[in-house]
Each structure stands twice: as structure tokens, then as C-alpha cells.
Amino acid sequence: GGVDKNMAEAMKYYKLAAEQGNSDAQAYLGSIYWRENNLDEALKLFELSANSGNPLGQYNLALCYQFGFGVEKNMDEAIKYFK
């Protein structure tokens, strides 16, 4: 159970940082939600991060638009965030 406890602790701090506008934390937390198949929460965080100019947030959001993960497939949006 050490890993689970550590992950729960890490999530707590990522959530705090994300809520305070840390775009790295938003992108990373979005990735965790993505792996947990919580696409709504992941997308929300990717958008916040991407709109702050975070490269990881932009890349992840672009992938969502490119493949239609949690959003309608939209290559124009994907290209915008890949740039």
C-alpha cells in the first residue's frame, strides 16, 4: 500500500497547485485523470494548462482533438494546439 498512499499524497499536492494556476500541475494532474479514464476532468485541466501556454498541456489537448478523446474530433483545434 505504500505506492497508493504516496500517489494519494501526490494527488493532493498536484490538486492544490493546479487550483492555484500552476500549469505544470494542471497538465500532470490531467494526465493522471486521463489514465484513470476520467476524460472530463482531464480535458478541463489540459485546457487550463494549454491556455496558460504550457507545452505539455497543449500537446495533450491537441491529441484529444486529433483523435476525438472526450471531445468531438477537430483537426483545426488539434493543429492550433500542436503549434
Side-chain angles (χ1 to χ4, degrees), residues 11-75:
M11 289 281 290
K12 184 171 81 175
Y13 290 110
Y14 279 118
K15 283 179 185 174
L16 282 172
E19 287 167 4
Q20 292 173 359
N22 182 304
S23 65
D24 290 329
Q26 290 164 342
Y28 188 73
L29 189 58
S31 298
I32 293 170
Y33 282 127
W34 178 267
R35 284 193 293 275
E36 293 176 349
N37 210 28
N38 184 344
L39 298 184
D40 289 342
E41 202 59 34
L43 279 167
K44 192 176 354 172
L45 288 160
F46 290 158
E47 282 185 336
L48 286 170
S49 180
N51 291 332
S52 294
N54 184 284
L56 180 59
Q58 291 171 337
Y59 179 76
N60 288 339
L61 189 57
L63 289 177
C64 291
Y65 280 113
Q66 181 181 5
F67 296 106
F69 296 135
V71 292
E72 193 172 319
K73 204 176 198 179
N74 184 330
M75 284 309 292

